[in-house]
Amino acid sequence: MKLSLAWLRDHLEGAPSADELAKRLTACGMNVEVREPAGPDEIWDVDVTTNRPDAMNHRGLAREAVAAACGTLKPLAINITEGATPVGTLARLTVEDAQGCPRYCARVVRGVKVGPSPAWLVERLQRCGVRPINNVVDATNCVLLDVGHPLHAFDLAFLKGQEIRVRRAHAGEPITTLDGVERKLTADDLVIADASRAVAVAGVMGAANSEIAPSTKDVLIESAYFDARSVRLTARRLGLKTEASHRFERGADRAMARTAVDLAAELIVRLAGGEVAAGVLDSNPDLPAPHEIPFSLSRLSAFVGCEIPRELTLRVLTALELAPRIVGDAVTCTVPTHRVDLELAEDLYEEVLRHFGYENVPSVLPSAAMKPGARLGTWPLTERGRDALTAVGAAEAFTYAFVSEEIEAATAGSPLADRGAVVALDNPLSARMAVMRRSLLAGLAEAAGGNLRRGAERVLLGEVGRVFFEKGGKVAEEERLAVAVAGAVGPWDALRQADFLDLKGVVEAVLAELGVSGTAWRHATAPVLAAGEQAEVVRDGCVIAIAGRLADAVSTVFDIPATLWVAEIDLTAAVAAASVPTFEPLPRFPAVTADLTVRHKLTLPYDQLVAAITAAAPEWLEAVSPVVRYRGEGVASDEVKTTVRLTYRHGERSLTQDEVNAAHFALMDRLGRELAVSFS
Amino acid sequence: MATEPLERARQEFLAALTEAGCDPARVEAVRVRFAGRRSGLLRELEDALKALPREAKPGYGKALNELKTLVEERLAAAQRAAEDAGIQRQVLDVTLPGRRPVTGALHPVTLVRREIEEIFLRMGYSVADGPEVEDDWHNFGALNMPPDHPARDTQDTFFLKDGLLLRTHTSPVQIRSMETMPLPIRLIIPGRVYRRDSDLRHSPMFHQVEGLVVGEGITFGNLKATLEAFVHVLFDPRLAVRFRPSFFPFTEPSAEVDITCVLCLGAGCGMCSGSGWIEILGAGMVDPRVLSACKLDPERVSGFAFGCGLDRVALLKYRLPDLRLLFSGDERLLRQFEGVAR
């Protein structure tokens, strides 16, 4: 909020220097953010928190300054001279909706001469960021900035029937507001109307049909107290935020409605001449019984954590006009009408504490029974996933959880993503962020594509995050891990591009890091991946991961300029299968190894070859491990030469070379017969 | 003893040779010094023989011969070693880049999150989580933001169907924890949150971390001490911590917490707009209305809560210029943080 320092000082007796005033206001929570010289005056920008509408004006802020030991508050002087004509003979007031408008005050000033405001007022308004209009309107704005109560001035001649009716609008009722926009109202909107039409949207903005014009002679000043919620709903629905609505939404001062109308009438006569009619139209002069808050001084100190002096407590509460009464340890405060934020004892603790000074509270660490902390919920799972990603060399990426419908649909074709309906945002920022992802590939493939388009020679990205599904009207969240691999494999291997086995190796290593074993890889048909170049990883009959080359159609959606290998792991399902290893005795006897080169059809999968070798070998075959695969010259185009290393080791004794040779040759004989393979 | 100079020469020779290592030039220098034909030390020792009394000559001569043999053998070996090393150097280029296993890199936000979690885990806090898709009650209602509360304006919300929304802060996890956990509660709550906002300093998806302590006798002084300890461990023990009164619907009293600018240490710079301070945390005592909403008795228990933007901490710690870079998936950026301890 912008305000004038000179104006603030007008309300204070014995105020300190500007520096001191700014310092003390900031310390008590009225943060003076900007100070800008303006001649002999200064323009201050003060950040008043939204719960303090009472301080969004010069007098309200001066009250805070008093509580912050910056002098005393001058009394508000009202010198109003009324004419003989009773206001009731000039205008009538009916409030049809007392809930939306608990109080409506109005005065009439007759015989004004509308013109420009004097220089002092123009300057003050401008310093506060308000555009001067004419002396009558400026007078209402001046009172708003002075004491914080929003007012409106009508040309009485344009109020048909010289009447004010506060009522709900008719559905579809039109009104052209002062900003020149024609708006349609609903039956929920509160309006100020004359005998035949709406002349203002209550608490938001007046209508053009009754505004103060150069020809205006008689003025009706409105000073009402509207229901905060009603104003807020209307202002939000109309998309109209004004100085008035801003204050009414946060809570206006019901008692001030009367004071403000007097201040405005007096100022209008001073600036534009004319005569104030006798009396005030006031729909409801009675104020509700004030709210009382009791609290105990000892509890206040216990809450803060140090002794708060009794004198300071009383001084602050008195300065804030809370009328503290004290009996022993018990204090009772009466909440004035302008403090809409005060309800509970803790609200008063804050009032005292912020003037005591947060910096004066000694810092003491809390004491509690010593108990080790732990990661709860899904954190152990996701943290393990992140560690697995870095263990395999991936860079961890964060991508947006919402994507375009097109991207979502393109990446949803997999058994992991197909677990529920897509969750759409009601009010997305853009079409690019319209729906929640069901697969991490939605963001990760895009990120990988970005790296490749920037000329990256290799990509190894990973992400751990949530995906979202709608199932039976509820939204389910699942934790996932994904990787993307592309480009050159490593230093001194720049010519070799990543292939399926590079991806598979990454996935195997991640699963090993997650403690998952006993998985099987089998061909899969997920549309998100290229046909024939993909697999699913199965454990106990459950698909825990998919891996393969991103399908060309999907790659096109992301504009990915190179082959991209991707995998996604269902973290929850994978880690459910994890087990803690237990010690296995180390071998006591030496091993004998023998390499075996098998020439076979491409259609024979490696796992079947190994299964056949294992079946044909003696039980002391310990391991079969890959050495090299060769295709090319000397090998038919539908064949491959696979070399594996067989490790023989007996658990009870040393093996002789002769018995190993015999077993190895017998194995080759049997393989040759059973699999129709050769060994050259 | 007459052979004493010989023993001294032997020790000097061995020391010199060790020092020369496999450097051919230095081995040659050792040879000249000890076995040089004209002025080598051995030559001098040989000359000294003549001046010895007769009875000392045989012993001295024998020891001299042993020394000569040692010098010859050791010099030859050193020369061979120096030669081999030279050849080896020509074959092995140690400046070639290594065949390095790829190392991974955690995201900068993960790094700061873990750092923050560690600080609080050591103080006996647990790390909690909750759903990112929330209902109105946990995200707003229980946090003293009833429908149509003006504070909702500041948290532009993404709505889903059936009254569900994407959580705008991690505070709903505070509510869920207070609803279910036994007291005393000490929690740190990091997580992903969403707001309808996008520019240089705002991303529609970002990260927060909140802390919550609830129990009997928790004071405002406890809050201050906890945040001071936190800031001093995370950034720098020299930083001052400033608490300014503020307003949040879910805390009463509330505070904004500033720290001395980490870049200029208070002198004033571009990062802190010349003020010397950086606003880093929001905090306060848990509002009694929030405790009541969680079926806790504000007469008996009190608590404090605080929160800050994780992305912002990452920006401050690693001097990143733009929040949106964090969500770009750009490996050139992500791999800059490989070396950060985790």
Side-chain angles (χ1 to χ4, degrees), chain A residues 389-612:
Chain A
L389 280 182
T390 52
V392 303
E396 188 196 3
F398 282 5
T399 66
Y400 287 118
F402 23 54
V403 293
S404 73
E405 280 185 59
E406 184 192 19
I407 283 177
E408 202 289 322
T411 50
S414 94
L416 296 188
D418 197 15
R419 292 185 174 172
V422 66
V423 178
L425 270 61
D426 263 5
N427 55 341
L429 257 183
S430 72
R432 287 174 48 232
M433 300 177 170
V435 294
M436 303 303 287
R437 63 185 174 194
R438 284 181 292 174
S439 162
L440 289 193
L441 299 182
L444 204 60
E446 178 152 44
N451 281 292
L452 290 167
R453 282 195 301 277
R454 283 188 290 269
E457 293 208 338
R458 57 180 307 184
V459 168
L460 180 45
L461 277 177
E463 180 169 13
V464 171
R466 290 186 190 172
V467 293
F468 303 83
F469 305 102
E470 198 205 307
K471 284 183 202 169
K474 288 194 173 148
V475 174
E477 301 178 24
E478 290 185 12
E479 300 286 357
R480 292 289 162 79
L481 180 151
V483 288
V485 183
V489 169
W492 305 113
D493 225 350
L495 295 179
R496 194 169 81 71
Q497 296 289 299
D499 61 17
F500 179 77
L501 293 187
D502 291 296
L503 174 71
K504 182 173 175 182
V506 166
V507 174
E508 285 175 325
V510 166
L511 290 173
E513 283 290 319
L514 292 173
V516 182
S517 57
T519 54
W521 289 64
R522 62 187 190 204
H523 275 292
T525 54
V528 68
L529 301 175
E533 293 180 79
Q534 57 166 298
E536 54 192 23
V537 186
V538 183
R539 194 183 189 286
D540 295 336
C542 170
V543 176
I544 60 168
I546 58 157
R549 183 167 73 77
L550 196 69
D552 292 331
V554 183
S555 206
T556 308
V557 171
F558 290 110
D559 187 23
I560 296 173
T563 301
L564 184 66
W565 297 92
V566 292
E568 183 165 19
I569 298 174
D570 178 344
L571 263 186
T572 313
V575 173
S579 56
V580 178
T582 51
F583 176 74
E584 280 183 27
L586 301 177
R588 288 184 297 142
F589 298 95
V592 179
T593 60
D595 284 0
L596 176 65
T597 299
V598 186
R599 180 209 290 256
H600 61 87
K601 293 276 191 239
L602 281 169
T603 49
L604 175 68
Y606 181 78
D607 67 343
Q608 281 182 30
L609 175 64
V610 172

Side-chain angles (χ1 to χ4, degrees), chain A residues 232 350 375 378 426-427 492, chain B residues 97 117 129 148 159 252:
Chain A
R232 179 173 155 76
E350 177 175 64
R375 288 197 162 85
T378 59
D426 263 5
N427 55 341
W492 305 113
Chain B
E117 286 171 7
D129 77 347
D148 308 313
F159 292 101
E252 186 78 34

Side-chain angles (χ1 to χ4, degrees), chain A residues 26-31 47 49-51 229 232-233 236 241 249-250 299 301-306 341-344 346-351 353-354 357-369 371-379 382-384 386-387 389-402 423-430 433 436-437 447-448 451 454 456 458-461 463-466 468 470 473-475 477 479 484 489 491-492, chain B residues 96-100 102-110 113-114 117-118 121 123-134 147-154 157-162 164 166-167 181 184 186-187 190-192 194-198 203-205 207 213 217-226 228-229 243-247 251-256 285-289 298-300 302 304 311 324 326-332 334-335 338 342:
Chain A
T26 300
C28 78
M30 300 290 157
N31 192 6
D47 181 20
T49 53
T50 56
N51 60 326
R229 187 167 178 274
R232 179 173 155 76
L233 290 179
R236 197 167 59 173
K241 211 173 149 75
E249 279 180 26
R250 282 157 184 76
R299 281 211 51 181
S301 292
F303 181 84
V304 174
C306 70
D341 59 316
L342 301 180
E343 197 183 328
L344 305 177
E346 283 78 357
D347 298 329
L348 296 182
Y349 296 171
E350 177 175 64
E351 295 307 295
L353 182 53
R354 64 192 176 84
Y358 286 5
E359 72 279 9
N360 296 323
V361 177
S363 301
V364 181
L365 278 172
S367 57
K371 218 177 95 186
R375 288 197 162 85
L376 310 172
T378 59
W379 283 116
T382 51
E383 288 296 77
R384 205 164 169 188
R386 287 187 183 90
D387 286 339
L389 280 182
T390 52
V392 303
E396 188 196 3
F398 282 5
T399 66
Y400 287 118
F402 23 54
V423 178
L425 270 61
D426 263 5
N427 55 341
L429 257 183
S430 72
M433 300 177 170
M436 303 303 287
R437 63 185 174 194
N451 281 292
R454 283 188 290 269
R458 57 180 307 184
V459 168
L460 180 45
L461 277 177
E463 180 169 13
V464 171
R466 290 186 190 172
F468 303 83
E470 198 205 307
K474 288 194 173 148
V475 174
E477 301 178 24
E479 300 286 357
V489 169
W492 305 113
Chain B
L96 286 174
R99 231 174 251 117
R100 173 182 150 178
V102 193
T103 43
L106 286 174
H107 193 278
V109 171
T110 301
R113 173 175 59 73
R114 286 194 178 180
E117 286 171 7
E118 285 308 321
L121 280 165
M123 292 199 279
Y125 288 60
S126 284
V127 185
D129 77 347
E132 290 172 24
V133 173
E134 266 295 359
D148 308 313
H149 192 284
R152 289 192 179 199
D153 283 353
T154 60
T157 309
F158 286 114
F159 292 101
L160 309 169
K161 278 203 300 194
D162 304 324
L164 295 174
L166 295 179
R167 66 178 178 192
M181 285 182 171
R186 284 186 175 197
L187 286 180
R192 191 164 273 186
Y194 304 85
R195 286 188 200 175
R196 233 176 144 273
D197 215 347
S198 182
S203 161
M205 180 183 93
H207 301 83
V213 172
I218 300 297
T219 69
F220 189 80
N222 294 158
L223 167 65
K224 280 186 69 179
T226 302
E228 282 161 2
F243 291 76
R244 277 186 295 111
S246 186
F247 169 71
T251 49
E252 186 78 34
S254 304
E256 304 255 23
M285 301 299 288
V286 180
D287 194 298
R289 299 162 188 87
E299 294 291 316
R300 199 173 59 80
S302 55
F304 65 74
D311 316 83
R324 290 171 299 189
L326 294 173
F327 305 100
S328 63
D330 189 335
E331 278 196 76
R332 296 171 305 177
L334 298 171
R335 293 205 181 265
E338 274 183 5
R342 36 185 188 266

Side-chain angles (χ1 to χ4, degrees), chain B residues 12-76:
Chain B
E12 276 175 30
F13 168 74
L14 289 175
L17 204 59
T18 306
E19 206 177 304
C22 292
D23 185 334
R26 295 174 71 184
V27 171
E28 175 60 13
V30 174
R31 191 196 64 76
V32 171
R33 182 175 154 206
F34 289 93
R37 281 220 189 114
R38 285 166 199 275
S39 57
L41 189 59
L42 284 177
R43 184 64 187 263
E44 279 175 32
L45 292 167
E46 217 173 300
D47 291 348
L49 178 70
K50 294 170 193 154
L52 285 177
R54 258 183 82 134
E55 65 276 14
K57 280 185 180 174
Y60 185 89
K62 187 167 174 258
L64 181 61
N65 279 335
E66 280 171 15
L67 179 60
K68 276 184 180 171
T69 312
L70 176 90
V71 169
E72 275 167 27
E73 283 175 8
R74 293 293 178 93
L75 269 178

